[in-house]
């Protein structure tokens, strides 16, 4: 795939030079736009942004509103990939306004989907679902099956993150079938990997591994480095979640390799998630001091890209690591901070887990009545959200 991108870039550069030689600014700008999109597909984000900004400026100068809106939308996609969520949202909104002004329904649907992705990546799942359903309806109305499948996949991901596994499976299988029907191997593989993650979260490890390995093989065959890295992270998480100490080294290997791959392509979210999972591997091995260091590193990465959920989860893990080392005051401070963060983003499960952990700290300090209050509070929340595992701990 990389070779094809390079060949395409050479051809487009040749065409751009020809257009410039004859003074055809529209053709030259369209070539620059294509080069920006090619750079984005190669994970060359800074170069992509430069190309797209240049093309957008030319389109605006010659009054070609469609081209300007398309470049603005593409810039939003680049920013989203870099986890610059606020800036991405602004670009999508600007492009959406441009597409609305000229009655371009496809562009409008793509921007609506982009805004849904911004909400999804920031863990605002209800808002994300609304935008993605809206975009899906738009794509259906214009007969864009690819757009419909992409929205269906993303809606499945939203449901997975909300732990609605049965509904997520339905959406993801629907998306996978549509991608297969239109011959889109990349989309089908992404759905297959997501289905593997659903199975992993349900503790169906063998089935999860089969799905993820199948997706990985497809990603490798089409040269999609990000897809391969995501599969490696998922396979590492499968090994980690089985809690087999003899498999911890293999899990760490998968996760380290995935982290290196994410860093190489500039995917900061993927790198942060791998660091977080490596912390979980260390926690399973009771390496409490190393656990704290690893989760602090992951928390810093999440905070740098504005991922509040990831940062809160790492803060909770740091608090638990300190608790296991007997650093009760520091643990309490971290856990209270994490609980406040979970509450701020409306994550009741995370807040309840922090409350439960605070109860364990109080037990260590022989404050049994206060601990009982914390445990009852956490239990009530676990029951309210239907988390059976939490109620038994």
């Amino acid at each position: 795939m990389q070779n094809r991108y390079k060949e395409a870039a050479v051809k487009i550069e040749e065409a751009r030079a020809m257009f410039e030689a004859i003074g055809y600014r529209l053709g030259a700008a369209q070539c620059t736009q294509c080069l920006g999109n090619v750079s984005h597909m190669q994970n060359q984000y800074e170069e992509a942004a430069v190309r797209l900004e240049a093309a957008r400026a030319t389109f605006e100068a010659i009054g070609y509103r469609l081209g300007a809106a398309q470049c603005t939308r593409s810039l939003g996609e680049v920013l989203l990939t870099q986890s610059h969520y606020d800036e991405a949202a602004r670009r999508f909104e600007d492009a959406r306004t441009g597409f609305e002004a000229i009655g371009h329904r496809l562009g409008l649907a793509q921007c609506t989907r982009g805004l849904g992705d911004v909400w999804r990546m920031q863990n605002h799942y209800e808002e994300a679902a609304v935008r993605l359903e809206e975009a899906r309806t738009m794509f259906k109305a214009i007969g864009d099956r690819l757009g419909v499948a992409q929205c269906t996949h993303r809606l499945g991901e939203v449901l997975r993150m909300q732990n609605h596994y049965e509904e997520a499976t339905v959406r993801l299988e629907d998306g996978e079938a549509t991608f297969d029907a239109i011959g889109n191997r990349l989309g089908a593989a992404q759905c297959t990997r997501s289905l593997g993650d659903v199975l992993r979260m349900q503790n169906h490890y063998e089935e999860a591994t089969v799905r993820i390995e199948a997706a990985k093989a497809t990603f490798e065959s089409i040269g999609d480095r990000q897809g391969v890295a995501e599969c490696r992270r998922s396979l590492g998480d499968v090994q980690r979640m089985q809690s087999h100490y003899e498999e911890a080294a293999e899990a760490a290997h998968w996760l380290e390799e995935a982290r290196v791959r994410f860093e190489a392509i500039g995917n900061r979210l993927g790198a942060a998630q791998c660091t977080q999972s490596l912390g979980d591997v260390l926690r399973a091995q009771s390496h409490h001091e190393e656990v704290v260091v690893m989760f602090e590193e992951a928390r810093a990465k999440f905070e740098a890209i504005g991922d509040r959920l990831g940062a809160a989860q790492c803060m909770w893990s740091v608090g638990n690591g300190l608790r296991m080392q007997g650093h009760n005051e520091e643990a309490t401070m971290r856990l209270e901070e994490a609980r406040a963060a979970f509450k701020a983003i409306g994550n009741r499960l995370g807040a309840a887990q922090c409350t439960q952990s605070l109860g364990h700290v109080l037990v260590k300090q022989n404050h049994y009545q206060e601990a009982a209050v914390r445990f009852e509070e956490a239990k009530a929340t676990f029951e309210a959200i239907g988390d059976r595992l939490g109620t038994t701990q």
Side-chain angles (χ1 to χ4, degrees), residues 308 339-347:
R308 296 163 68 196
R339 187 170 69 153
F342 280 123
K343 284 184 175 180
I345 60 177
N347 190 299

Side-chain angles (χ1 to χ4, degrees), residues 129-169:
V130 170
R131 288 287 194 178
L132 290 168
E133 281 288 6
E134 183 182 349
R136 188 168 177 271
T137 300
M138 291 178 179
F139 284 122
K140 267 189 175 179
I142 60 179
D144 189 312
R145 297 170 70 195
L146 174 60
V148 171
Q150 289 170 331
C151 289
T152 302
H153 174 217
R154 286 161 167 82
L155 284 163
E157 281 290 284
V158 168
L159 289 163
R160 179 178 70 84
M161 295 304 294
Q162 293 176 297
N163 303 320
H164 301 318
Y165 300 127
E166 290 184 11
E167 298 168 65
T169 298

